[in-house]
Amino acid sequence: MIKQNLELKATSFTLSVLYINNSNLDSVANELDKKLAQAPQFFIGAPLVLNLSALNECNVDLVALKSLLVERQLIIVGVTEASANLATQAKELGLAVMKSGKQAKAPTIVPRTTKIVKQNVRSGQQIYAKESDLIVFGAVGNGAEVIADGSIHVYGALRGKAMAGAAGDNNSVIIASSLEAELVSIAGQYWTADSLQQHCHAQRGCVRLEGETLTVELLPQ
Amino acid sequence: MAQIIVVTSGKGGVGKTTSSAAIATGLALKGKKTVVIDFDIGLRNLDLIMGCERRVVYDFVNVINGEANLNQAMIKDKRCENLFILPASQTRDKDALTKEGVGKVLDDLAKDFDYIVCDSPAGIEQGAMMALYFADIAIVTTNPEVSSVRDSDRILGMLQSRSRRAEQNLEPIKEYLLLTRYSPNRVKTGEMLSVEDVKEILAIQLLGVIPESQAVLKASNSGVPVIIDQESDAGLAYSDTVARLLGEDVPLRFVTEEKKGFLKRIFGS
Ligand SMILES: Nc1ncnc2c1ncn2[C@@H]1O[C@H](COP(=O)(O)OP(=O)(O)OP(=O)(O)O)[C@@H](O)[C@H]1O
Ligand SMILES: [Mg+2]
């Protein structure tokens, strides 16, 4: 087989981002010199991305900014959160216009599969459904623990602890035929038995997150 | 091949030894050749309840260590033709019970007996684990109160994960609930859980309900298993339990309050 001359592979790198918060380049230069004096090894030679979000309303001379940085041995690979005008300038200078992690938010891990447990989960037992929903055909006893990266469905009484959205998925829910849990938690927000009892008494229900707070929705018996 | 029954609970003092003695005696009375083994090393009292403590020469640990053979260590019951007792050692420590050692003794016994009843110590330590490891049938002895039910749930988890049948992916241990020290009056006043409550929480088949009874203390003080006392409610309840274990369909007794007198029924209390 002939080896290809080119290959394209996606790889991610960690880049430092330098926030330019002032359009007055003299002040920027001043402050930068101070920073460089403190920790030169931190900046010099390291690829940097400029965050220009603070300059969107201003007309800053990107050519001057770039040469100011290059003079100080900084390597600029691109800009991010730039206004349309600044983005065009950046392209002309041969700089990449990059989307930051925040703008191009990676989707939270959504469960890909379902784990089914066909018996009661007894006191002292722990079940973890990694990257999946968890369905229990039976009760979860006091002192037992069920954890899932996705949602948890218990076709029986939930008396132990249940932690859904363990990897941070806010959309996970906990559903049980009888909510009597010692603890319920979704994406880290939790209720102890006392808090749960203020909302429902051993009823069929669905616990979910509304914003940052948990709620219970009672379901028909 | 014998059926191996473990009488277990997690929580202490719920009536395991009382039940082991009664059920083993009951099986023998039904013509089954039965041996009951005390796994409570260091705290033996099965031999007291069976009334054979004065005849103990060798014990279970002696047999495991090869210091005595089974025939030397087993005590033949005075009352029942088919019944033998293998007592525990009072002096040795619990680590004497190894999987290999216990397995070998049970294998030898299984050739000769119909039933092997293992009286488990409380807790979830080595002794309790060894008592349940080889079981075919578990009688989960539970008192009608929250902490006992919770410990029983824990033991059920162990039966399903730490037993030989679980480890070797065989058919699971047959699990039965035996509710002991049941007092219908105290259920009515809300001091105790009801049969229904416990059944609902543990979700296993109910084998029997033994009432709280003076007869139990009287029986153990005189070294006679309470099932021999067929005048007593507890004795009858254990007989029913054994019958169910052997597949008979027997209705529950002693689970409702004692009947009030005629006048009280008419006029209320
Ligand atoms: N049905 C009953 N009615 C009244 N008392 C009972 C009953 N069952 C057991 N007891 C009493 O409860 C106490 C504990 O019983 P037993 O020794 O059988 O329990 P155990 O579970 O074997 O205890 P341990 O965990 O210490 O081995 C004894 O004093 C016994 O007489
Ligand atoms: Mg005992």
Side-chain angles (χ1 to χ4, degrees):
Chain A
M1 232 180 99
I2 305 163
K3 178 125 173 108
Q4 287 172 321
N5 288 324
L6 295 173
E7 261 183 284
L8 194 59
K9 286 184 180 173
T11 311
S12 46
F13 298 94
T14 306
L15 296 173
S16 298
V17 178
L18 188 64
Y19 284 74
I20 310 294
N21 292 336
N22 194 333
S23 59
N24 182 335
L25 293 186
D26 287 339
S27 344
V28 170
N30 244 327
E31 206 167 311
L32 190 60
D33 286 335
K34 275 190 217 150
K35 283 234 167 11
L36 283 174
Q38 278 167 12
Q41 73 285 359
F42 204 81
F43 291 97
I44 292 171
L48 281 181
V49 175
L50 304 181
N51 185 308
L52 303 180
S53 54
L55 305 180
N56 280 349
E57 303 301 313
C58 334
N59 241 337
V60 74
D61 182 354
L62 211 54
V63 180
L65 177 60
K66 189 188 172 194
S67 56
L68 178 162
L69 298 166
V70 170
E71 270 166 30
R72 288 167 175 80
Q73 294 181 305
L74 302 182
I75 299 168
I76 310 305
V77 296
V79 298
T80 187
E81 296 195 42
S83 65
N85 174 21
L86 287 174
T88 324
Q89 279 193 52
K91 275 182 204 152
E92 282 165 7
L93 283 170
L95 294 176
V97 177
M98 308 166 83
K99 279 190 176 170
S100 79
K102 238 189 275 164
Q103 284 166 306
K105 201 171 179 205
T108 36
I109 299 167
V110 178
R112 264 170 259 152
T113 166
T114 303
K115 183 183 175 92
I116 300 183
V117 174
K118 291 188 178 170
Q119 57 187 25
N120 288 8
V121 184
R122 304 284 182 183
S123 180
Q125 292 182 320
Q126 190 189 59
I127 291 185
Y128 173 38
K130 188 173 161 54
E131 287 171 28
S132 55
D133 290 337
L134 175 63
I135 297 185
V136 180
F137 295 155
V140 176
N142 284 103
E145 239 173 71
V146 287
I147 306 164
D149 287 342
S151 295
I152 298 174
H153 302 247
V154 180
Y155 291 87
L158 171 57
R159 302 192 175 98
K161 296 183 181 161
M163 286 158 258
D169 179 20
N170 297 317
N171 294 317
S172 302
V173 299
I174 297 170
I175 295 178
S177 310
S178 177
L179 283 167
E180 307 167 36
E182 290 165 347
L183 182 118
V184 286
S185 145
I186 290 174
Q189 299 291 329
Y190 67 88
W191 270 346
T192 57
D194 283 347
S195 326
L196 179 64
Q197 263 168 29
Q198 288 166 16
H199 297 84
C200 85
H201 303 275
Q203 285 151 299
R204 181 190 295 269
C206 170
V207 181
R208 55 185 173 77
L209 263 185
E210 230 170 51
E212 297 276 276
T213 50
L214 292 176
T215 60
V216 188
E217 203 170 312
L218 295 182
L219 302 174
Q221 288 295 325
Chain B
M1 276 296 277
Q3 293 273 301
I4 302 177
I5 301 177
V6 61
V7 179
T8 182
S9 70
K11 191 169 160 67
V14 297
K16 292 180 293 296
T17 302
T18 304
S19 300
S20 299
I23 290 168
T25 306
L27 287 167
L29 288 172
K30 290 266 195 179
K32 307 290 180 190
K33 195 170 177 199
T34 304
V35 55
V36 54
I37 307 179
D38 192 347
F39 275 75
D40 207 345
I41 308 296
L43 282 174
R44 62 172 233 228
N45 52 28
L46 179 69
D47 49 343
L48 290 175
I49 291 185
M50 297 294 298
C52 65
E53 76 281 6
R54 292 153 175 272
R55 294 193 287 146
V56 173
V57 183
Y58 294 108
D59 58 56
F60 189 22
V61 173
N62 288 136
V63 178
I64 289 175
N65 292 344
E67 296 150 2
N69 65 36
L70 272 171
N71 288 330
Q72 292 172 302
M74 278 195 300
I75 300 170
K76 193 174 178 311
D77 189 71
K78 326 188 259 274
R79 287 168 294 260
C80 254
E81 188 55 28
N82 301 310
L83 183 58
F84 292 80
I85 298 113
L86 185 54
S89 154
Q90 211 154 22
T91 49
R92 290 155 221 268
D93 79 310
K94 307 183 191 6
D95 297 335
L97 297 183
T98 61
K99 208 176 271 184
E100 294 69 39
V102 173
K104 167 122 197 350
V105 174
L106 294 182
D107 266 354
D108 288 349
L109 289 171
K111 292 174 200 140
D112 278 347
F113 285 87
D114 297 316
Y115 286 95
I116 301 172
V117 177
C118 304
D119 177 20
S120 172
I124 51 173
E125 306 292 311
Q126 176 78 356
M129 286 301 129
M130 282 305 107
L132 70 77
Y133 185 77
F134 296 95
D136 302 304
I137 296 171
I139 298 181
V140 180
T141 311
T142 307
N143 289 164
E145 41 127 334
V146 171
S147 65
S148 174
V149 172
R150 214 169 266 202
D151 286 359
S152 292
D153 197 53
R154 184 93 204 264
I155 281 291
L156 285 163
M158 299 285 180
L159 291 168
Q160 286 160 14
S161 58
R162 305 270 296 275
S163 61
R164 181 185 68 99
R165 283 176 173 271
E167 281 179 8
Q168 298 177 3
N169 256 323
L170 305 171
E171 196 184 313
I173 294 175
K174 182 86 196 87
E175 303 156 340
Y176 290 113
L177 168 64
L178 180 65
L179 202 51
T180 51
R181 311 199 68 164
Y182 195 71
S183 159
N185 296 317
R186 296 182 64 192
V187 171
K188 198 165 179 222
T189 56
E191 288 168 75
M192 275 188 176
L193 299 172
S194 69
V195 180
E196 295 309 316
D197 291 338
V198 180
K199 258 171 71 180
E200 207 268 320
I201 295 173
L202 293 180
I204 54 174
Q205 193 179 328
L206 180 65
L207 187 64
V209 179
I210 312 300
E212 172 78 25
S213 165
Q214 293 290 320
V216 171
L217 192 61
K218 217 170 73 194
S220 42
N221 283 339
S222 49
V224 182
V226 70
I227 197 168
I228 299 283
D229 180 0
Q230 288 287 305
E231 308 272 283
S232 71
D233 48 1
L236 293 170
Y238 274 118
S239 295
D240 291 355
T241 300
V242 170
R244 287 187 204 104
L245 191 59
L246 294 174
E248 290 172 41
D249 190 9
V250 185
L252 283 180
R253 290 194 262 187
F254 317 114
V255 291
T256 47
E257 265 186 301
E258 272 162 49
K259 288 228 161 59
K260 289 175 182 166
F262 173 72
L263 286 177
K264 272 198 175 165
R265 251 187 292 150
I266 304 262
F267 298 109
S269 50

